[in-house]
Amino acid sequence: MARSMSFFIFIALLAFAPICFSFKSNNGNLYPQYYYKSCPRAQEIVKSVVAKAVAKEARMAASLLRLQFHDCFVKGCDASLLLDSSRGIVSEKGSNANKNSARGFEVLDEIKSALEKECPQTVSCADILALAARDSTVLAGGPSWEVPLGRRDSRSASLSGSNNNIPAPNDTFDSILSKFNRQGLDLVDLVALSGSHTIGNSRCTSFRQRLYNQSGNNQPDSTLDKSYASQLRNRCPKSGGDQNLFFLDFVSPTKFDNSYFKLLLASKGLLNSDQVLATKSQASLALVKQYAENNALFFDHFAKSMVKMGNISPLTGSNGEIRKNCRKINSS
């Protein structure tokens, strides 16, 4: 009887094995249950702090989501973005993509502080970024996904990587796609992840050229709806007002939905990097149309692309460290 029971348990374990391993990434080291034993309340703590921050300021959801993009596109998903300048480190926070725009660092500090009290030096800042991005998306009404965990934190930053690898607001379509391809991401990932611009804001300085001098000929961008451009010029003059904020999706600026793609089809994408998805590639235009018509499809592709992006070159095993403070490397 005992032998029969042991055989049954063995067969049962084999049956569940694919479920256990199906969450592993291509790197073979990331999986959602990573902290189940070492810090079982980790995800609960992250979610609680993020929820409080977003309730206080709805814009924070977009800010936290954006931080993971800007981290993963530079040296992989290793929290290098969070490091301040010190001890030979030149912070990525001063790059063209992040200076005067990247925000939400105080929220991550609060999460890290709470986790250090709960389970010291256990949960990485890179994993906090990944969880905060997912929770922010859900709080804004977007899709959820299981976040593979187990990343470790970088001991260095790359200002040049931040300046060169992150797509810029006025990049061409080919340049943007090339930067995605460089990270192992494809066209579907590009269009789906661009949909994160359904929430959040952008500064006047990021799209001014579209209003006045898109091609160096002192003419506005011909792909921008004229009435929309006129409205934008009221608060984004030729000079001054650089930091004035504008909704990326003025229809539902704090709700994560597919209205961003509907605006692209109406020639009302705020950034050049948004509008080129509908004007410079038939393949990307086809995806824009699909997402504009099918919110569920957009949500499904976005969630899958976020997991894929979160798997870009993570530090695992004995590489990197688990920082005590997300802003600085541990003392040796």
Side-chain angles (χ1 to χ4, degrees), residues 79-93 105 109 157 323 325-329:
S80 61
L81 169 61
L82 305 185
L83 289 169
D84 288 337
S85 295
S86 65
R87 296 170 55 186
I89 293 172
V90 180
S91 177
E92 294 168 17
K93 295 174 183 177
F105 299 110
D109 290 340
R323 289 184 214 141
N325 181 328
C326 290
R327 294 176 181 260
K328 59 184 181 181
I329 61 175

Side-chain angles (χ1 to χ4, degrees), residues 307-326:
V307 172
K308 189 175 176 182
M309 185 187 75
N311 286 341
I312 297 174
S313 305
L315 296 173
T316 58
S318 60
N319 296 313
E321 64 181 16
I322 306 297
R323 289 184 214 141
K324 299 175 184 177
N325 181 328
C326 290

Side-chain angles (χ1 to χ4, degrees), residues 159-173:
L159 179 62
S160 62
S162 188
N163 277 325
N164 296 318
N165 295 347
I166 299 172
N170 204 35
D171 273 356
T172 64
F173 174 82

Side-chain angles (χ1 to χ4, degrees), residues 9-252:
I9 293 173
F10 174 72
I11 293 299
L13 287 173
L14 283 179
F16 280 101
I19 297 175
C20 296
F21 289 105
S22 65
F23 292 113
K24 290 197 174 184
S25 72
N26 293 331
N27 303 285
N29 296 297
L30 305 182
Y31 52 98
Q33 303 89 349
Y34 189 84
Y35 296 111
Y36 274 19
K37 290 184 178 180
S38 61
C39 193
R41 293 186 61 242
Q43 296 201 41
E44 176 188 337
I45 289 170
V46 174
K47 183 178 181 179
S48 175
V49 177
V50 171
K52 183 176 67 174
V54 173
K56 183 178 179 181
E57 182 191 14
R59 180 189 172 199
M60 189 55 68
S63 298
L64 293 173
L65 176 56
R66 183 170 181 253
L67 287 181
Q68 196 193 12
F69 282 80
H70 284 218
D71 180 55
C72 290
F73 270 67
V74 183
K75 296 172 69 270
C77 306
D78 61 1
S80 61
L81 169 61
L82 305 185
L83 289 169
D84 288 337
S85 295
S86 65
R87 296 170 55 186
I89 293 172
V90 180
S91 177
E92 294 168 17
K93 295 174 183 177
S95 72
N96 296 330
N98 297 321
K99 189 176 182 181
N100 297 321
S101 67
R103 58 196 300 276
F105 299 110
E106 295 79 7
V107 177
L108 299 173
D109 290 340
E110 185 177 347
I111 294 171
K112 183 59 175 173
S113 178
L115 287 170
E116 285 300 300
K117 291 177 182 177
E118 178 78 12
C119 35
Q121 226 166 330
T122 301
V123 182
S124 69
C125 299
D127 279 344
I128 291 173
L129 272 172
L131 289 169
R134 189 272 310 276
D135 293 343
S136 294
T137 301
V138 173
L139 286 165
S144 184
W145 59 91
E146 287 200 276
V147 179
L149 300 166
R151 301 167 189 80
R152 288 168 65 84
D153 300 323
S154 170
R155 294 190 180 97
S156 63
S158 176
L159 179 62
S160 62
S162 188
N163 277 325
N164 296 318
N165 295 347
I166 299 172
N170 204 35
D171 273 356
T172 64
F173 174 82
D174 288 341
S175 175
I176 297 168
L177 182 58
S178 175
K179 289 177 180 179
F180 269 72
N181 290 162
R182 201 180 303 160
Q183 305 299 337
L185 302 175
D186 59 26
L187 180 67
V188 173
D189 301 315
L190 164 57
V191 181
L193 293 176
S194 294
S196 63
H197 284 180
T198 182
I199 55 175
N201 300 262
S202 185
R203 298 172 298 154
C204 166
T205 187
S206 296
F207 62 87
R208 175 184 283 120
Q209 82 289 333
R210 296 193 72 202
L211 304 178
Y212 303 102
N213 190 26
Q214 175 66 4
S215 303
N217 58 359
N218 293 315
Q219 295 298 316
D221 188 344
S222 61
T223 67
L224 181 62
D225 178 83
K226 289 182 172 56
S227 62
Y228 181 45
S230 178
Q231 294 174 34
L232 294 174
R233 281 192 288 267
N234 288 332
R235 291 187 54 244
C236 187
K238 281 188 176 181
S239 61
D242 285 6
Q243 304 305 314
N244 289 349
L245 293 175
F246 295 77
F247 293 128
L248 287 159
D249 169 0
F250 64 81
V251 174
S252 53

